[in-house]
Amino acid sequence: MKTNEKIVMFKLNKKIYPIKVLFTNNRNVYFEKKDNIFILKINKLTSLDSLYLKEFMEKSIKSFLAKKDLPSMEINENEKYFYYLGKKIFYELNNDLILFNINDETFELRKTKSAKPSKIIWNFLNEKLLLILDKLIEKNIPSIYPKLKKYELKVLNKKSAWGTNYVNKALITFSKYLILFNINIIEYVVIHELVHFLHQNHSKKFWEKINLFCLNYKEKIKALNEHIFDFNLK
């Protein structure tokens, strides 16, 4: 797929931020930061002058600027802990084992010379997240999109989006970092992606539908953006 590029200068709070704009065939809008460069991916038919896009860029830049002081989402190998469903879990290294407890259940992961403990723990967390996501999708499909009989689910190592719905393929991908958050936060992201089967954008109708299934969605979005892992508001 051919992609056109353009550099735009975006003014925010009296400061200018260069943004590399990539015009694609995708319907969704994405904003990320790579090598200290802001990148905006939009459909080639989208106007850069639209109010929605300007508000989206402003919100995205503010979010990235605020991330400097956010709690890390990575496994802390120095202090030996990670987050699981909002709770801080400490682990121990004992010979060739990684040991930790979750809800009074002891887990033993075998470590290898070729893989860091963090990689082995992430493999464990990814498996747990897949099971959780599958249950939450099955729980919410009947009320949101009962026509969905088959779908593919993937957990990816990405920070640019919590979830992405490839509607035409019935493929939903989720960020592996969701496993750090309380189950209520994960369910919001699942609902968000399922609603995309009804509205393939973030229009007013999309958010109205989200509000039907998740009344406190704004608070949950805030928790995601601010890395508030143990957020319990239902």
Side-chain angles (χ1 to χ4, degrees):
M1 179 182 68
K2 294 183 179 180
T3 304
N4 296 321
E5 298 183 9
K6 181 178 181 180
I7 301 295
V8 299
M9 310 305 287
F10 191 84
K11 187 175 182 180
L12 177 62
N13 296 331
K14 298 181 179 180
K15 188 172 181 180
I16 302 297
Y17 296 93
I19 300 177
K20 179 189 287 188
V21 181
L22 304 181
F23 297 94
T24 73
N25 291 324
N26 295 327
R27 293 185 178 183
N28 295 328
V29 179
Y30 298 98
F31 195 93
E32 59 186 347
K33 189 177 183 181
K34 287 185 178 180
D35 301 324
N36 292 321
I37 299 175
F38 289 119
I39 300 174
L40 174 69
K41 297 180 181 180
I42 60 174
N43 184 274
K44 59 187 178 182
L45 300 179
T46 302
S47 171
L48 283 170
D49 296 324
S50 70
L51 179 59
Y52 162 76
L53 196 57
K54 290 180 179 179
E55 291 177 345
F56 177 82
M57 287 190 287
E58 179 178 340
K59 182 178 179 181
S60 298
I61 292 174
K62 287 181 177 178
S63 176
F64 274 98
L65 294 177
K67 285 182 179 179
K68 294 179 181 179
D69 300 318
L70 293 180
S72 173
M73 296 195 296
E74 301 300 338
I75 293 170
N76 190 317
E77 291 192 326
N78 292 325
E79 299 181 30
K80 295 183 176 59
Y81 72 82
F82 59 92
Y83 282 90
Y84 176 79
L85 298 182
K87 303 300 181 183
K88 181 183 283 189
I89 308 296
F90 287 91
Y91 67 89
E92 298 178 0
L93 301 179
N94 186 354
N95 295 323
D96 60 344
L97 294 177
I98 302 170
L99 307 173
F100 53 88
N101 288 284
I102 298 177
N103 298 329
D104 296 325
E105 182 178 358
T106 300
F107 292 89
E108 298 181 354
L109 307 182
R110 191 165 299 278
K111 62 187 180 74
T112 64
K113 294 181 180 179
S114 59
K116 291 183 177 181
S118 59
K119 182 177 181 180
I120 296 170
I121 294 172
W122 270 121
N123 289 338
F124 167 84
L125 295 176
N126 289 345
E127 290 178 4
K128 292 294 184 181
L129 181 58
L130 271 172
L131 292 174
I132 291 169
L133 289 169
D134 195 46
K135 289 181 179 179
L136 290 175
I137 289 174
E138 292 298 326
K139 171 187 173 183
N140 287 282
I141 279 177
S143 58
I144 298 176
Y145 194 66
K147 292 181 180 179
L148 185 63
K149 303 302 180 183
K150 293 183 179 180
Y151 59 87
E152 186 178 359
L153 177 62
K154 290 183 180 180
V155 170
L156 303 179
N157 180 18
K158 64 176 183 178
K159 294 182 179 179
S160 58
W162 299 111
T164 304
N165 187 340
Y166 299 91
V167 176
N168 294 334
K169 299 179 181 179
L171 166 64
I172 311 176
T173 66
F174 294 92
S175 167
K176 71 177 187 179
Y177 296 101
L178 282 176
I179 194 64
L180 310 184
F181 292 86
N182 184 281
I183 193 71
N184 297 314
I185 299 295
I186 300 175
E187 185 163 19
Y188 157 70
V189 178
V190 167
I191 290 171
H192 183 113
E193 297 310 322
L194 288 178
V195 171
H196 274 310
F197 282 110
L198 302 172
H199 303 284
Q200 297 177 33
N201 50 37
H202 293 106
S203 63
K204 182 179 179 181
K205 289 184 178 180
F206 171 86
W207 292 113
E208 287 175 349
K209 187 67 69 172
I210 288 287
N211 193 53
L212 289 177
F213 302 107
C214 189
L215 293 176
N216 300 307
Y217 73 89
K218 292 183 179 179
E219 288 90 340
K220 294 177 181 180
I221 293 174
K222 186 173 185 285
L224 283 166
N225 292 336
E226 297 182 2
H227 298 182
I228 304 174
F229 304 132
D230 193 18
F231 181 83
N232 291 303
L233 180 61
K234 294 182 180 181

